[in-house]
Amino acid sequence: MISFLRLSPTIKLKITLLVALAAVSMVILAIVVSVTMYKMASIDRQENRLQQSKALGDRIEADMLSARKNESDFVRTQKPEQSSAVKEQIAALQGHIKDLQATLSTDEIHMNSEKLMSLSNEYQDRFEELMKNVTGTQSLTTDMVFAAEAFRGIVENKNESGLLLQMYMIRQIEKDYLLGRDGDLLTVFDKNVAAIEKTVRQSSAFSGASQDILLRNMDKYKASFVKMTSLYQEQPKLLGKFAALNEEISAKITSLNTYLKTETDASIASKSKLKSTMQVILLLFTFMMTAAMITIGTMLASSMNRSLRKLQEGTRIIGGGNLAYRVDVQSSDEIGQLAATFNEMAGEVQKAFKYVVDVSGQLSEASSNLLAISEETSAHTQEVSRIATTVEEGTVDQADQIALGFHLLRDMNLQTQQVKEAVAEIALQADRSTDKGAEGMAVVADLEKVYLDYMGVGKSLFKRVEGVEQHISQMVKMIAGIEEFSSQIGLISLNASIEAARAGSFGRGFAVIAETVKDLAERTKAQSLDMRRMSALMLGMMNELEQDTKRLEAGGKIQGEAVLQTRVAFVQIAEQLERIREHVGRVQDSLKFVTNSTNELTDAMNGVQVVSHQSKEAAKEVAASSREQLVAMEEINEAAVQLEYFSEHLLRNIEQFTL
């Protein structure tokens, strides 16, 4: 966090832009995946409800088929247990209709379910009517049997075989009618009943009470038969209504199942379309993210590489001695700031070297002047020595020689004064050169600090590159975990598909879900492979950036060597300036001695002038002083030669730098 805060605004902006792009991309991807998963889950739930509704529709159809079969069996056999089975099937059908309404609450389902419920209620009412009809026919049949048996018992007691035969014929007509439902048999039945009643009335074998019983039984038999035939005649109408009602119910069930199948197919198509759209979106998003990250990473790496190469080249050129060169880095990041500071330090070093060149030139010129003056002074000193020797040997033209000696002493004093001024100027320039050398050393120290900052930036960048590589490695491990997770999901979906296949029709919904999970696992695995490739590409870019960082470190070493060479040059200059100062000090000491000697000569010459005829001892003293002065001037001459040599050597050292 602290290293990031120390970064320049430009690099912060680039890194922030890259992180923001990655964050926004992840948020968008999360939103897209969440919305898609939500829609997929919604479609799966809808498809599951449709599958359940389709199963309920199949059960409703099966319940209706069972009810119709039991209804037919009931009409054929007229067994009560068959009617109970029909009622149970109708109740199950209505229960399944209610379950269908609760499972899938669409307008179409609601309308068809309400219609089916109404038709099932009507079916139940019609079946109740049919049951009443069948129950009525059974009751009337029982009454007819009882009446016929009572009639037959009385007739058998009287042994009236004719009436028994007639009664048998009527029972046969009853059976024929029940089997064939022929309307002509009703007329035959009425004629035979009338004949039996006439025979009973005319028979003398029966008492009045027996005749009444026989006639009542016959009337009861006849009435029951008439009612039974009426009920039998109603049955075709009821069965016709049943047939129309069954057709309508079957049509509604078929319509309902068709609607459920259509909705199921539409749901499957919608899910397939959504999966295709999701795949396209993920592919486009992956491509766009990869392109954006590669573009931004390439721009950032290229910008840093260009700046680093310019800075490295500038360091090499300036370290080679071209102090007029400036690093051209226009960025405002850390490398740009480092380049600006480096250029500023190079400018300061250039100014210091220019001043040293100027001072060295002045020093060389002053050394030449000093040498010329010292040579001229030596010549005058030799002349003074010669005159003093002449004075010592004789007094010929002593006055003229003394006057000439005074003149030469005055010239020598003047030249000595000039030498003192030149030496003072040289000392001043040497002091200034020393000060500028100290300033140059300070600049070199600042340059070393810049170099250390430069190396610090390189090391920090290298550490950040290593950190990014570690994060990418961790991301690769996470991608491997995702791949393993997707493989496990694929195995789970395969097991779910096997279990769904074992469950048969009840597991179709789970089979679809298992297939969806399998597709999701495959897509996840494919996306993880894309992410792995993208991570490998990013890792390659980080390796290139690491190589650039190493080149930056190598450039920093070159800069450090250049700074070290500059420091060595400044140290040499400082040492030469110190030697110049030492020789200047020696020249100043010699000048003091020359000045004192000149004063002594002047005093001696004054003494010679006062005493017109000096003794040989005074002349000797003058000659000795002249010789001593000559020795001092030779030392000054030698110091001037050394000073000129050091000045030229200093200029040669400075010439290796381009100003």
Side-chain angles (χ1 to χ4, degrees), residues 325-502:
Y325 183 80
R326 296 294 181 268
V327 179
D328 184 17
V329 177
Q330 302 296 331
S331 62
S332 59
D333 54 10
E334 290 148 319
I335 297 177
Q337 295 174 3
L338 183 62
T341 305
F342 188 80
N343 289 336
E344 184 178 353
M345 295 297 104
E348 294 295 330
V349 172
Q350 184 183 18
K351 291 179 182 179
F353 267 90
K354 284 182 178 180
Y355 187 82
V356 171
V357 169
D358 294 338
V359 172
S360 298
Q362 295 175 7
L363 182 62
S364 178
E365 183 179 356
S367 299
S368 299
N369 293 333
L370 177 61
L371 181 60
I373 293 171
S374 64
E375 289 177 351
E376 186 177 357
T377 304
S378 296
H380 288 295
T381 304
Q382 290 176 359
E383 184 66 20
V384 170
S385 177
R386 185 184 62 78
I387 293 171
T389 302
T390 303
V391 171
E392 181 182 6
E393 292 176 353
T395 58
V396 182
D397 297 328
Q398 189 176 26
D400 294 336
Q401 294 295 329
I402 290 173
L404 180 60
F406 274 115
H407 176 71
L408 291 175
L409 285 174
R410 284 193 298 270
D411 291 340
M412 188 172 64
N413 284 331
L414 180 60
Q415 292 171 359
T416 302
Q417 186 64 31
Q418 292 177 354
V419 170
K420 288 176 66 177
E421 292 177 356
V423 171
E425 181 66 23
I426 291 173
L428 179 61
Q429 296 297 333
D431 291 338
R432 291 179 179 176
S433 298
T434 302
D435 294 338
K436 289 298 180 179
E439 293 179 2
M441 290 297 292
V443 171
V444 170
D446 293 337
L447 194 60
E448 288 180 344
K449 183 178 180 181
V450 172
Y451 159 71
L452 293 177
D453 293 339
Y454 177 83
M455 294 301 293
V457 170
K459 292 181 180 178
S460 177
L461 182 61
F462 187 76
K463 288 182 179 179
R464 287 201 293 270
V465 169
E466 288 182 343
V468 173
E469 288 180 346
Q470 291 177 359
H471 286 298
I472 292 175
S473 300
Q474 293 177 359
M475 188 169 65
V476 170
K477 293 180 181 178
M478 294 173 64
I479 292 172
I482 293 173
E483 291 177 352
E484 182 180 359
F485 180 66
S486 62
S487 300
Q488 293 178 358
I489 291 177
L491 292 176
I492 293 173
S493 64
L494 179 61
N495 294 332
S497 300
I498 294 172
E499 295 299 327
R502 290 179 181 176

Side-chain angles (χ1 to χ4, degrees), residues 1-20 300 304 332-334 337 464:
M1 183 64 182
I2 297 176
S3 299
F4 180 77
L5 294 176
R6 290 178 178 175
L7 296 176
S8 65
T10 303
I11 293 183
K12 284 182 181 178
L13 179 61
K14 292 178 181 178
I15 295 177
T16 303
L17 179 62
L18 186 61
V19 173
L300 181 60
M304 293 181 65
S332 59
D333 54 10
E334 290 148 319
Q337 295 174 3
R464 287 201 293 270

